[in-house]
């Protein structure tokens, strides 16, 4: 792979991830514009910040984490749909996440992302993926492409779980941890949120799924092999 040099193509990028150290690392890896051709024009740590920054800067590509405070990457895609659909200056989204779960991949692709790569990707490969997405290609880490083919192309693909689709990405994270037996305090620590926020997410999940308690929730998640 030949990395674009400063005399060749340029691409304007926004980084969206709720971990500042990760954003700093990505910026250091790919953001030396003279070497990579990538110009990082903004950063955001949650859904509201992402929508504000993307709207203000109109980047060509957004590197989007799947799990974000405020509704997740899918919510960012929903609120930026008009920018993505702009025929003259489309803003394209490339999911960059630690998760390789099929439901996460399929969720953001349904939402409008042009690709999905995991955080194990190398810097040069990420730069290449950014340019390819900017140019209209669909880009996936090899193992993840199969999820998309199964969901969108195969007649044998499992039906969409409408109940699961009602949940935000963060609610799904909390659901899995509850089903695995984690206490609220442990979930709060793992997801870097407050115990009160965990309680709010659990209440929302129970309401949306029409369940009464965490025991029913655990059975529901186990039956769908989400644990």
């Amino acid at each position: 792979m030949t990395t674009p040099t400063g005399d060749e193509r340029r691409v304007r990028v926004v980084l969206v991830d709720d971990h500042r150290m990760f954003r700093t690392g990505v910026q250091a890896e790919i953001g030396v514009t003279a070497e990579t051709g990538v110009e990082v024009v903004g950063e955001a740590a949650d859904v509201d910040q992402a929508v504000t920054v993307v709207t203000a800067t109109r980047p060509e590509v957004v590197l989007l984490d799947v799990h974000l405070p405020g509704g997740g990457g899918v919510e960012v895609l929903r609120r930026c749909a008009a920018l993505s659909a702009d025929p003259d200056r489309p803003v394209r989204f490339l999911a960059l996440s630690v998760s390789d779960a099929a439901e996460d991949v399929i969720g953001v692709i349904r939402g409008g992302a042009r690709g999905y790569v995991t955080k194990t990707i190398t810097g040069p490969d990420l730069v290449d993926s950014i340019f390819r997405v900017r140019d209209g290609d669909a880009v996936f880490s090899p193992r993840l492409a199969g999820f998309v083919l199964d969901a969108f192309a195969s007649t044998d693909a499992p039906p969409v779980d409408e109940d699961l689709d009602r949940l935000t990405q963060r609610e799904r994270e909390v659901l899995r941890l509850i089903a695995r037996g984690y206490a609220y305090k442990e979930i709060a620590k793992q997801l870097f949120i407050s115990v009160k926020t965990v309680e709010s997410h659990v209440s929302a999940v129970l309401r949306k799924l029409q369940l009464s308690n965490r025991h029913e929730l655990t059975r529901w998640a186990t039956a769908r092999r989400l644990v």
Side-chain angles (χ1 to χ4, degrees):
M1 181 198 75
T2 301
T3 300
T5 68
D7 296 328
E8 297 173 341
R9 299 188 301 168
R10 294 289 181 92
V11 60
R12 300 171 70 253
V13 172
V14 164
L15 305 178
V16 180
D17 192 286
D18 60 343
H19 292 95
R20 182 180 59 81
M21 290 184 65
F22 179 76
R23 296 198 309 272
T24 301
V26 172
Q27 167 83 334
E29 184 75 19
I30 71 171
V32 182
T33 309
E35 296 179 7
T36 65
V38 175
E39 180 186 1
V40 177
V41 297
E43 298 183 15
D46 59 34
V47 169
D48 288 340
Q49 287 180 18
V51 173
T52 299
V53 172
V54 170
T55 302
T57 61
R58 293 297 294 264
E60 293 161 281
V61 177
V62 178
L63 287 181
L64 180 67
D65 193 14
V66 174
H67 301 138
L68 292 168
V74 171
E75 180 65 11
V76 176
L77 289 162
R78 185 186 70 79
R79 291 168 60 179
C80 292
L83 298 178
S84 298
D86 186 329
D88 298 318
R89 295 176 57 199
V91 176
R92 294 191 167 106
F93 289 80
L94 173 61
L96 176 62
S97 177
V98 69
S99 171
D100 62 359
E103 60 268 24
D104 287 339
V105 178
I106 293 166
V108 294
I109 298 305
R110 277 203 194 110
R114 292 291 304 175
Y116 194 118
V117 294
T118 61
K119 290 180 177 179
T120 57
I121 193 170
T122 65
D125 284 347
L126 180 56
V127 170
D128 183 57
S129 297
I130 290 169
F131 274 95
R132 287 174 60 194
V133 165
R134 194 280 302 273
D135 293 341
D137 290 346
V139 179
F140 299 94
S141 294
R143 195 175 86 83
L144 308 185
F147 297 153
V148 180
L149 290 173
D150 287 345
F152 294 99
S154 173
T155 56
D156 296 327
V160 173
D161 191 325
E162 294 182 359
D163 289 333
L164 188 61
D165 276 358
R166 292 192 186 101
L167 305 183
T168 67
Q169 295 295 335
R170 182 63 89 184
E171 287 168 353
R172 294 183 192 189
E173 286 181 309
V174 172
L175 164 65
R176 287 194 194 92
L177 293 173
I178 285 288
R180 290 171 184 168
Y182 284 77
Y184 286 2
K185 189 174 182 180
E186 294 171 320
I187 296 172
K189 184 176 181 181
Q190 184 158 334
L191 299 182
F192 302 100
I193 58 179
S194 69
V195 172
K196 197 166 193 177
T197 300
V198 174
E199 293 172 349
S200 297
H201 285 314
V202 172
S203 296
V205 170
L206 292 174
R207 183 181 70 254
K208 290 179 180 181
L209 300 181
Q210 299 183 346
L211 301 174
S212 301
N213 53 56
R214 65 180 297 165
H215 300 295
E216 291 184 2
L217 188 153
T218 299
R219 287 198 298 271
W220 186 93
T222 301
R224 284 162 174 78
R225 299 181 180 178
L226 300 177
V227 180

